[in-house]
């Protein structure tokens, strides 16, 4: 009797374990099948011929604005934009084409506006006789303009509009 009982119990255990395992296989199979159907296909195929590289036409260069009209500044400390062409103007350690017109001594002949007083100050506020080294490379701050369309919309509002 005892032996029979024991045999019956372990047979039952095996049956239950087999049933649970079978159910798990079925359920996970169903979940897998569904996920394969709904998963977004963001991974490129690994097999098959690759697309050949094609030529992409470069967008045309935008036209520079060179109308010689000085542009209003959007706020008092703004470096004014350059209203003339600067093509082939040399700006190196040895040569500075900009200063040949904008340096104080040359403005009478060139008719160009003089670099402002801030351009003579070193970082301690000391006045120098000529342009300070930190203002030597003009195009670090002053840039010409083109007729290119802005890449993103601009929501800038003039400080006057803020009412102060
Ligand atoms: C041949 C002389 C000449 C040269 C060289 C020159 N400029 Fe000018 N620049 C002028 C004149 C003249 C103006 C006044 C507006 C006009 O006529 O274009 C001017 C205007 C400007 C303005 C606008 C100032 C304002 O208050 O709106 C900036 C900024 C400027 N130039 C920067 C430069 C930079 C930077 C370079 C060198 C890359 C340079 N310029 C080279 C003659 C020159
Ligand atoms: C570090 C930035 C910076 C550099 C570099 C710089 N500038 Fe300026 N520039 C400014 C700012 C800011 C202003 C307007 C406020 C002021 O006058 O300081 C200005 C103003 C000017 C003006 C208008 C002056 C006036 O009184 O209307 C001219 C012209 C000018 N710069 C020419 C030049 C030239 C030429 C060079 C190169 C030798 C140069 N700048 C280098 C920032 C710079």
């Amino acid at each position: 009797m005892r032996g029979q009982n024991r045999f019956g119990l372990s047979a039952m255990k095996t049956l239950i374990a087999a049933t649970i395992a079978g159910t798990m296989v079925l359920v996970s199979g169903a979940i897998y099948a569904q996920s394969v159907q709904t998963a977004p296909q963001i991974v490129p195929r690994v097999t098959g011929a690759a697309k050949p590289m094609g030529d992409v036409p470069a967008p045309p260069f935008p036209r520079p604005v060179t109308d010689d009209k000085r542009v209003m500044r959007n706020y008092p400390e703004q470096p004014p934009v350059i209203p003339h062409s600067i093509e082939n103007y040399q700006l190196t350690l040895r040569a500075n084409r900009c200063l040949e017109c904008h340096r104080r001594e040359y403005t009478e002949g060139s008719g160009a506006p003089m670099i402002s007083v801030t351009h003579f100050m070193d970082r301690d506020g000391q006045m120098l006789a000529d342009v300070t080294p930190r203002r030597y490379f003009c195009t670090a701050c002053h840039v010409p303009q083109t007729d290119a369309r802005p890449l993103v919309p601009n929501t800038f509002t003039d400080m006057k509009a803020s009412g102060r």
Side-chain angles (χ1 to χ4, degrees):
M1 282 294 262
R2 267 171 102 189
Q4 248 185 15
N5 232 352
R6 256 187 147 152
F7 175 69
L9 199 64
S10 69
M12 189 75 108
K13 274 185 182 165
T14 315
L15 193 70
I16 289 171
T19 313
I20 289 175
T23 316
M24 276 167 72
V25 166
L26 281 177
V27 167
S28 60
I31 290 174
Y32 173 73
Q34 204 181 16
S35 70
V36 162
Q37 268 176 7
T38 54
Q41 297 294 304
I42 49 171
V43 183
R45 274 165 53 103
V46 185
T47 55
K51 269 194 193 164
M53 283 200 288
D55 284 339
V56 182
F61 278 122
R63 244 177 313 143
V65 177
T66 56
D67 57 10
D68 287 331
K69 279 195 208 124
R70 293 169 72 176
V71 184
M72 186 194 78
R73 300 180 210 182
N74 291 309
Y75 50 94
E77 309 91 339
Q78 183 209 313
V81 296
I82 307 171
H84 55 70
S85 168
I86 61 164
E87 207 170 306
N88 299 325
Y89 281 179
Q90 219 181 350
L91 187 46
T92 64
L93 208 56
R94 285 171 213 285
N96 189 323
R97 185 76 179 89
C98 314
L99 283 175
E100 284 175 31
C101 290
H102 286 279
R103 184 175 259 145
R104 182 178 62 87
E105 300 93 302
Y106 300 146
T107 49
E108 223 172 49
S110 67
M114 187 190 84
I115 52 172
S116 74
V117 65
T118 57
H119 294 48
F120 293 88
M121 289 179 196
D122 68 10
R123 63 178 178 185
D124 301 318
Q126 283 291 318
M127 276 299 177
L128 308 176
D130 202 354
V131 66
T132 171
R134 62 198 190 122
R135 294 266 163 128
Y136 181 84
F137 288 106
C138 321
T139 47
C141 304
H142 298 282
V143 288
Q145 302 293 292
T146 70
D147 65 356
R149 249 190 322 143
L151 294 173
V152 289
N154 190 343
T155 55
F156 177 85
T157 45
D158 197 287
M159 64 199 296
K160 277 253 172 141
S162 71
R164 303 217 174 155

PDB file of all heavy atoms in Angstrom, residues 53-82:
ATOM      1  N   MET A  53      26.025  53.589 -54.037  1.00  0.00           N
ATOM      2  CA  MET A  53      26.070  54.989 -53.616  1.00  0.00           C
ATOM      3  C   MET A  53      25.788  55.885 -54.822  1.00  0.00           C
ATOM      4  O   MET A  53      26.344  55.671 -55.899  1.00  0.00           O
ATOM      5  CB  MET A  53      27.448  55.316 -53.040  1.00  0.00           C
ATOM      6  CG  MET A  53      27.619  54.784 -51.638  1.00  0.00           C
ATOM      7  SD  MET A  53      28.935  55.592 -50.753  1.00  0.00           S
ATOM      8  CE  MET A  53      30.347  54.924 -51.575  1.00  0.00           C
ATOM      9  N   GLY A  54      24.929  56.864 -54.629  1.00  0.00           N
ATOM     10  CA  GLY A  54      24.573  57.731 -55.740  1.00  0.00           C
ATOM     11  C   GLY A  54      25.154  59.117 -55.552  1.00  0.00           C
ATOM     12  O   GLY A  54      25.668  59.458 -54.495  1.00  0.00           O
ATOM     13  N   ASP A  55      25.080  59.937 -56.598  1.00  0.00           N
ATOM     14  CA  ASP A  55      25.506  61.333 -56.508  1.00  0.00           C
ATOM     15  C   ASP A  55      24.358  62.167 -55.970  1.00  0.00           C
ATOM     16  O   ASP A  55      23.245  62.074 -56.457  1.00  0.00           O
ATOM     17  CB  ASP A  55      25.903  61.860 -57.897  1.00  0.00           C
ATOM     18  CG  ASP A  55      27.263  61.339 -58.304  1.00  0.00           C
ATOM     19  OD1 ASP A  55      28.019  60.949 -57.395  1.00  0.00           O
ATOM     20  OD2 ASP A  55      27.553  61.312 -59.514  1.00  0.00           O
ATOM     21  N   VAL A  56      24.643  62.953 -54.942  1.00  0.00           N
ATOM     22  CA  VAL A  56      23.637  63.858 -54.406  1.00  0.00           C
ATOM     23  C   VAL A  56      24.012  65.278 -54.838  1.00  0.00           C
ATOM     24  O   VAL A  56      25.119  65.727 -54.556  1.00  0.00           O
ATOM     25  CB  VAL A  56      23.573  63.773 -52.869  1.00  0.00           C
ATOM     26  CG1 VAL A  56      22.497  64.684 -52.320  1.00  0.00           C
ATOM     27  CG2 VAL A  56      23.362  62.343 -52.427  1.00  0.00           C
ATOM     28  N   PRO A  57      23.120  65.951 -55.551  1.00  0.00           N
ATOM     29  CA  PRO A  57      23.487  67.301 -56.001  1.00  0.00           C
ATOM     30  C   PRO A  57      23.661  68.250 -54.812  1.00  0.00           C
ATOM     31  O   PRO A  57      22.845  68.253 -53.890  1.00  0.00           O
ATOM     32  CB  PRO A  57      22.300  67.716 -56.868  1.00  0.00           C
ATOM     33  CG  PRO A  57      21.174  66.836 -56.454  1.00  0.00           C
ATOM     34  CD  PRO A  57      21.770  65.552 -55.966  1.00  0.00           C
ATOM     35  N   ALA A  58      24.737  69.028 -54.812  1.00  0.00           N
ATOM     36  CA  ALA A  58      24.979  69.995 -53.739  1.00  0.00           C
ATOM     37  C   ALA A  58      24.056  71.188 -53.930  1.00  0.00           C
ATOM     38  O   ALA A  58      23.816  71.608 -55.066  1.00  0.00           O
ATOM     39  CB  ALA A  58      26.439  70.451 -53.771  1.00  0.00           C
ATOM     40  N   PRO A  59      23.516  71.737 -52.849  1.00  0.00           N
ATOM     41  CA  PRO A  59      22.673  72.923 -52.996  1.00  0.00           C
ATOM     42  C   PRO A  59      23.509  74.103 -53.492  1.00  0.00           C
ATOM     43  O   PRO A  59      24.698  74.186 -53.181  1.00  0.00           O
ATOM     44  CB  PRO A  59      22.144  73.166 -51.574  1.00  0.00           C
ATOM     45  CG  PRO A  59      23.116  72.481 -50.669  1.00  0.00           C
ATOM     46  CD  PRO A  59      23.673  71.331 -51.452  1.00  0.00           C
ATOM     47  N   PRO A  60      22.914  75.001 -54.258  1.00  0.00           N
ATOM     48  CA  PRO A  60      23.694  76.137 -54.762  1.00  0.00           C
ATOM     49  C   PRO A  60      24.137  77.049 -53.621  1.00  0.00           C
ATOM     50  O   PRO A  60      23.479  77.142 -52.593  1.00  0.00           O
ATOM     51  CB  PRO A  60      22.702  76.857 -55.679  1.00  0.00           C
ATOM     52  CG  PRO A  60      21.352  76.422 -55.219  1.00  0.00           C
ATOM     53  CD  PRO A  60      21.512  75.044 -54.667  1.00  0.00           C
ATOM     54  N   PHE A  61      25.269  77.714 -53.818  1.00  0.00           N
ATOM     55  CA  PHE A  61      25.735  78.666 -52.813  1.00  0.00           C
ATOM     56  C   PHE A  61      24.737  79.824 -52.711  1.00  0.00           C
ATOM     57  O   PHE A  61      24.308  80.351 -53.732  1.00  0.00           O
ATOM     58  CB  PHE A  61      27.097  79.241 -53.217  1.00  0.00           C
ATOM     59  CG  PHE A  61      28.247  78.350 -52.871  1.00  0.00           C
ATOM     60  CD1 PHE A  61      29.112  77.904 -53.856  1.00  0.00           C
ATOM     61  CD2 PHE A  61      28.472  77.972 -51.561  1.00  0.00           C
ATOM     62  CE1 PHE A  61      30.185  77.085 -53.542  1.00  0.00           C
ATOM     63  CE2 PHE A  61      29.543  77.148 -51.231  1.00  0.00           C
ATOM     64  CZ  PHE A  61      30.394  76.699 -52.226  1.00  0.00           C
ATOM     65  N   PRO A  62      24.392  80.233 -51.493  1.00  0.00           N
ATOM     66  CA  PRO A  62      23.531  81.414 -51.384  1.00  0.00           C
ATOM     67  C   PRO A  62      24.311  82.662 -51.806  1.00  0.00           C
ATOM     68  O   PRO A  62      25.545  82.701 -51.711  1.00  0.00           O
ATOM     69  CB  PRO A  62      23.175  81.449 -49.900  1.00  0.00           C
ATOM     70  CG  PRO A  62      24.211  80.643 -49.208  1.00  0.00           C
ATOM     71  CD  PRO A  62      24.715  79.635 -50.189  1.00  0.00           C
ATOM     72  N   ARG A  63      23.574  83.667 -52.286  1.00  0.00           N
ATOM     73  CA  ARG A  63      24.241  84.878 -52.767  1.00  0.00           C
ATOM     74  C   ARG A  63      24.591  85.801 -51.609  1.00  0.00           C
ATOM     75  O   ARG A  63      23.746  86.078 -50.752  1.00  0.00           O
ATOM     76  CB  ARG A  63      23.329  85.618 -53.749  1.00  0.00           C
ATOM     77  CG  ARG A  63      23.920  85.664 -55.156  1.00  0.00           C
ATOM     78  CD  ARG A  63      22.985  86.335 -56.112  1.00  0.00           C
ATOM     79  NE  ARG A  63      21.628  85.852 -55.987  1.00  0.00           N
ATOM     80  CZ  ARG A  63      20.550  86.615 -56.107  1.00  0.00           C
ATOM     81  NH1 ARG A  63      20.671  87.890 -56.347  1.00  0.00           N
ATOM     82  NH2 ARG A  63      19.346  86.099 -55.993  1.00  0.00           N
ATOM     83  N   PRO A  64      25.816  86.313 -51.534  1.00  0.00           N
ATOM     84  CA  PRO A  64      26.150  87.243 -50.454  1.00  0.00           C
ATOM     85  C   PRO A  64      25.463  88.592 -50.640  1.00  0.00           C
ATOM     86  O   PRO A  64      25.251  89.035 -51.773  1.00  0.00           O
ATOM     87  CB  PRO A  64      27.672  87.381 -50.555  1.00  0.00           C
ATOM     88  CG  PRO A  64      28.035  86.905 -51.910  1.00  0.00           C
ATOM     89  CD  PRO A  64      26.963  86.009 -52.398  1.00  0.00           C
ATOM     90  N   VAL A  65      25.094  89.203 -49.531  1.00  0.00           N
ATOM     91  CA  VAL A  65      24.498  90.538 -49.572  1.00  0.00           C
ATOM     92  C   VAL A  65      25.631  91.552 -49.526  1.00  0.00           C
ATOM     93  O   VAL A  65      26.372  91.626 -48.543  1.00  0.00           O
ATOM     94  CB  VAL A  65      23.538  90.751 -48.380  1.00  0.00           C
ATOM     95  CG1 VAL A  65      22.973  92.158 -48.392  1.00  0.00           C
ATOM     96  CG2 VAL A  65      22.424  89.714 -48.385  1.00  0.00           C
ATOM     97  N   THR A  66      25.793  92.322 -50.576  1.00  0.00           N
ATOM     98  CA  THR A  66      26.905  93.284 -50.649  1.00  0.00           C
ATOM     99  C   THR A  66      26.388  94.650 -51.091  1.00  0.00           C
ATOM    100  O   THR A  66      26.960  95.286 -51.975  1.00  0.00           O
ATOM    101  CB  THR A  66      27.971  92.797 -51.651  1.00  0.00           C
ATOM    102  OG1 THR A  66      27.326  92.578 -52.914  1.00  0.00           O
ATOM    103  CG2 THR A  66      28.616  91.516 -51.205  1.00  0.00           C
ATOM    104  N   ASP A  67      25.280  95.107 -50.459  1.00  0.00           N
ATOM    105  CA  ASP A  67      24.665  96.364 -50.910  1.00  0.00           C
ATOM    106  C   ASP A  67      25.260  97.601 -50.231  1.00  0.00           C
ATOM    107  O   ASP A  67      24.796  98.721 -50.463  1.00  0.00           O
ATOM    108  CB  ASP A  67      23.145  96.308 -50.691  1.00  0.00           C
ATOM    109  CG  ASP A  67      22.782  96.035 -49.233  1.00  0.00           C
ATOM    110  OD1 ASP A  67      23.695  96.076 -48.385  1.00  0.00           O
ATOM    111  OD2 ASP A  67      21.606  95.787 -48.943  1.00  0.00           O
ATOM    112  N   ASP A  68      26.311  97.416 -49.370  1.00  0.00           N
ATOM    113  CA  ASP A  68      26.991  98.529 -48.690  1.00  0.00           C
ATOM    114  C   ASP A  68      26.082  99.331 -47.763  1.00  0.00           C
ATOM    115  O   ASP A  68      26.440 100.432 -47.365  1.00  0.00           O
ATOM    116  CB  ASP A  68      27.615  99.493 -49.732  1.00  0.00           C
ATOM    117  CG  ASP A  68      28.848  98.880 -50.378  1.00  0.00           C
ATOM    118  OD1 ASP A  68      29.504  98.061 -49.707  1.00  0.00           O
ATOM    119  OD2 ASP A  68      29.143  99.208 -51.548  1.00  0.00           O
ATOM    120  N   LYS A  69      24.904  98.783 -47.428  1.00  0.00           N
ATOM    121  CA  LYS A  69      24.025  99.497 -46.479  1.00  0.00           C
ATOM    122  C   LYS A  69      24.279  98.947 -45.087  1.00  0.00           C
ATOM    123  O   LYS A  69      24.075  97.757 -44.836  1.00  0.00           O
ATOM    124  CB  LYS A  69      22.550  99.263 -46.853  1.00  0.00           C
ATOM    125  CG  LYS A  69      22.077 100.165 -47.970  1.00  0.00           C
ATOM    126  CD  LYS A  69      20.556 100.151 -48.026  1.00  0.00           C
ATOM    127  CE  LYS A  69      20.068 100.439 -49.433  1.00  0.00           C
ATOM    128  NZ  LYS A  69      19.193  99.405 -49.965  1.00  0.00           N
ATOM    129  N   ARG A  70      24.734  99.811 -44.185  1.00  0.00           N
ATOM    130  CA  ARG A  70      24.987  99.359 -42.811  1.00  0.00           C
ATOM    131  C   ARG A  70      23.673  98.911 -42.178  1.00  0.00           C
ATOM    132  O   ARG A  70      22.663  99.606 -42.260  1.00  0.00           O
ATOM    133  CB  ARG A  70      25.633 100.491 -42.011  1.00  0.00           C
ATOM    134  CG  ARG A  70      27.040 100.791 -42.525  1.00  0.00           C
ATOM    135  CD  ARG A  70      27.616 102.064 -41.940  1.00  0.00           C
ATOM    136  NE  ARG A  70      27.975 101.914 -40.534  1.00  0.00           N
ATOM    137  CZ  ARG A  70      28.579 102.877 -39.836  1.00  0.00           C
ATOM    138  NH1 ARG A  70      28.865 104.025 -40.394  1.00  0.00           N
ATOM    139  NH2 ARG A  70      28.882 102.681 -38.559  1.00  0.00           N
ATOM    140  N   VAL A  71      23.696  97.729 -41.565  1.00  0.00           N
ATOM    141  CA  VAL A  71      22.475  97.103 -41.048  1.00  0.00           C
ATOM    142  C   VAL A  71      22.265  97.491 -39.588  1.00  0.00           C
ATOM    143  O   VAL A  71      23.221  97.515 -38.804  1.00  0.00           O
ATOM    144  CB  VAL A  71      22.571  95.567 -41.171  1.00  0.00           C
ATOM    145  CG1 VAL A  71      21.278  94.902 -40.725  1.00  0.00           C
ATOM    146  CG2 VAL A  71      22.915  95.171 -42.597  1.00  0.00           C
ATOM    147  N   MET A  72      21.009  97.791 -39.247  1.00  0.00           N
ATOM    148  CA  MET A  72      20.690  98.133 -37.871  1.00  0.00           C
ATOM    149  C   MET A  72      21.081  96.980 -36.945  1.00  0.00           C
ATOM    150  O   MET A  72      20.917  95.821 -37.284  1.00  0.00           O
ATOM    151  CB  MET A  72      19.190  98.403 -37.720  1.00  0.00           C
ATOM    152  CG  MET A  72      18.812  98.908 -36.351  1.00  0.00           C
ATOM    153  SD  MET A  72      17.035  98.838 -36.038  1.00  0.00           S
ATOM    154  CE  MET A  72      16.794  97.101 -35.672  1.00  0.00           C
ATOM    155  N   ARG A  73      21.583  97.326 -35.758  1.00  0.00           N
ATOM    156  CA  ARG A  73      21.923  96.270 -34.794  1.00  0.00           C
ATOM    157  C   ARG A  73      20.682  95.884 -33.995  1.00  0.00           C
ATOM    158  O   ARG A  73      19.852  96.730 -33.690  1.00  0.00           O
ATOM    159  CB  ARG A  73      23.018  96.765 -33.849  1.00  0.00           C
ATOM    160  CG  ARG A  73      24.268  97.124 -34.634  1.00  0.00           C
ATOM    161  CD  ARG A  73      25.392  97.632 -33.757  1.00  0.00           C
ATOM    162  NE  ARG A  73      26.213  98.572 -34.515  1.00  0.00           N
ATOM    163  CZ  ARG A  73      27.289  99.160 -34.036  1.00  0.00           C
ATOM    164  NH1 ARG A  73      27.660  98.910 -32.811  1.00  0.00           N
ATOM    165  NH2 ARG A  73      27.980 100.005 -34.783  1.00  0.00           N
ATOM    166  N   ASN A  74      20.578  94.625 -33.671  1.00  0.00           N
ATOM    167  CA  ASN A  74      19.411  94.120 -32.949  1.00  0.00           C
ATOM    168  C   ASN A  74      19.484  94.422 -31.455  1.00  0.00           C
ATOM    169  O   ASN A  74      18.487  94.345 -30.747  1.00  0.00           O
ATOM    170  CB  ASN A  74      19.263  92.612 -33.158  1.00  0.00           C
ATOM    171  CG  ASN A  74      18.867  92.306 -34.584  1.00  0.00           C
ATOM    172  OD1 ASN A  74      17.919  92.884 -35.105  1.00  0.00           O
ATOM    173  ND2 ASN A  74      19.597  91.417 -35.227  1.00  0.00           N
ATOM    174  N   TYR A  75      20.668  94.750 -30.972  1.00  0.00           N
ATOM    175  CA  TYR A  75      20.864  95.172 -29.583  1.00  0.00           C
ATOM    176  C   TYR A  75      22.194  95.919 -29.568  1.00  0.00           C
ATOM    177  O   TYR A  75      23.045  95.708 -30.447  1.00  0.00           O
ATOM    178  CB  TYR A  75      20.855  93.972 -28.614  1.00  0.00           C
ATOM    179  CG  TYR A  75      21.753  92.845 -29.024  1.00  0.00           C
ATOM    180  CD1 TYR A  75      23.052  92.760 -28.527  1.00  0.00           C
ATOM    181  CD2 TYR A  75      21.317  91.873 -29.921  1.00  0.00           C
ATOM    182  CE1 TYR A  75      23.880  91.735 -28.914  1.00  0.00           C
ATOM    183  CE2 TYR A  75      22.144  90.845 -30.309  1.00  0.00           C
ATOM    184  CZ  TYR A  75      23.425  90.774 -29.809  1.00  0.00           C
ATOM    185  OH  TYR A  75      24.252  89.764 -30.192  1.00  0.00           O
ATOM    186  N   PRO A  76      22.387  96.824 -28.600  1.00  0.00           N
ATOM    187  CA  PRO A  76      23.527  97.734 -28.678  1.00  0.00           C
ATOM    188  C   PRO A  76      24.887  97.042 -28.755  1.00  0.00           C
ATOM    189  O   PRO A  76      25.802  97.554 -29.405  1.00  0.00           O
ATOM    190  CB  PRO A  76      23.416  98.548 -27.384  1.00  0.00           C
ATOM    191  CG  PRO A  76      22.012  98.433 -26.957  1.00  0.00           C
ATOM    192  CD  PRO A  76      21.519  97.113 -27.438  1.00  0.00           C
ATOM    193  N   GLU A  77      25.054  95.893 -28.102  1.00  0.00           N
ATOM    194  CA  GLU A  77      26.384  95.263 -28.070  1.00  0.00           C
ATOM    195  C   GLU A  77      26.606  94.322 -29.231  1.00  0.00           C
ATOM    196  O   GLU A  77      27.605  93.611 -29.269  1.00  0.00           O
ATOM    197  CB  GLU A  77      26.577  94.479 -26.766  1.00  0.00           C
ATOM    198  CG  GLU A  77      26.274  95.238 -25.499  1.00  0.00           C
ATOM    199  CD  GLU A  77      24.839  95.084 -25.063  1.00  0.00           C
ATOM    200  OE1 GLU A  77      23.984  94.728 -25.904  1.00  0.00           O
ATOM    201  OE2 GLU A  77      24.557  95.338 -23.889  1.00  0.00           O
ATOM    202  N   GLN A  78      25.685  94.277 -30.172  1.00  0.00           N
ATOM    203  CA  GLN A  78      25.849  93.337 -31.283  1.00  0.00           C
ATOM    204  C   GLN A  78      26.999  93.775 -32.186  1.00  0.00           C
ATOM    205  O   GLN A  78      27.093  94.942 -32.550  1.00  0.00           O
ATOM    206  CB  GLN A  78      24.569  93.279 -32.111  1.00  0.00           C
ATOM    207  CG  GLN A  78      24.641  92.256 -33.240  1.00  0.00           C
ATOM    208  CD  GLN A  78      23.784  92.634 -34.430  1.00  0.00           C
ATOM    209  OE1 GLN A  78      22.645  93.009 -34.272  1.00  0.00           O
ATOM    210  NE2 GLN A  78      24.358  92.539 -35.617  1.00  0.00           N
ATOM    211  N   PRO A  79      27.900  92.871 -32.545  1.00  0.00           N
ATOM    212  CA  PRO A  79      28.882  93.223 -33.570  1.00  0.00           C
ATOM    213  C   PRO A  79      28.140  93.461 -34.883  1.00  0.00           C
ATOM    214  O   PRO A  79      27.412  92.576 -35.329  1.00  0.00           O
ATOM    215  CB  PRO A  79      29.772  91.982 -33.666  1.00  0.00           C
ATOM    216  CG  PRO A  79      29.382  91.104 -32.527  1.00  0.00           C
ATOM    217  CD  PRO A  79      28.025  91.483 -32.090  1.00  0.00           C
ATOM    218  N   PRO A  80      28.264  94.657 -35.466  1.00  0.00           N
ATOM    219  CA  PRO A  80      27.519  94.883 -36.711  1.00  0.00           C
ATOM    220  C   PRO A  80      27.908  93.884 -37.790  1.00  0.00           C
ATOM    221  O   PRO A  80      29.063  93.462 -37.858  1.00  0.00           O
ATOM    222  CB  PRO A  80      27.894  96.319 -37.095  1.00  0.00           C
ATOM    223  CG  PRO A  80      29.093  96.656 -36.285  1.00  0.00           C
ATOM    224  CD  PRO A  80      29.039  95.821 -35.060  1.00  0.00           C
ATOM    225  N   VAL A  81      26.926  93.486 -38.615  1.00  0.00           N
ATOM    226  CA  VAL A  81      27.240  92.553 -39.701  1.00  0.00           C
ATOM    227  C   VAL A  81      27.923  93.331 -40.829  1.00  0.00           C
ATOM    228  O   VAL A  81      27.799  94.549 -40.942  1.00  0.00           O
ATOM    229  CB  VAL A  81      25.967  91.837 -40.218  1.00  0.00           C
ATOM    230  CG1 VAL A  81      25.374  90.964 -39.130  1.00  0.00           C
ATOM    231  CG2 VAL A  81      24.959  92.824 -40.754  1.00  0.00           C
ATOM    232  N   ILE A  82      28.671  92.606 -41.641  1.00  0.00           N
ATOM    233  CA  ILE A  82      29.465  93.240 -42.702  1.00  0.00           C
ATOM    234  C   ILE A  82      28.586  93.434 -43.934  1.00  0.00           C
ATOM    235  O   ILE A  82      28.070  92.449 -44.468  1.00  0.00           O
ATOM    236  CB  ILE A  82      30.691  92.370 -43.054  1.00  0.00           C
ATOM    237  CG1 ILE A  82      31.492  92.053 -41.789  1.00  0.00           C
ATOM    238  CG2 ILE A  82      31.562  93.069 -44.096  1.00  0.00           C
ATOM    239  CD1 ILE A  82      32.596  91.036 -41.996  1.00  0.00           C
TER     240      ILE A  82
END
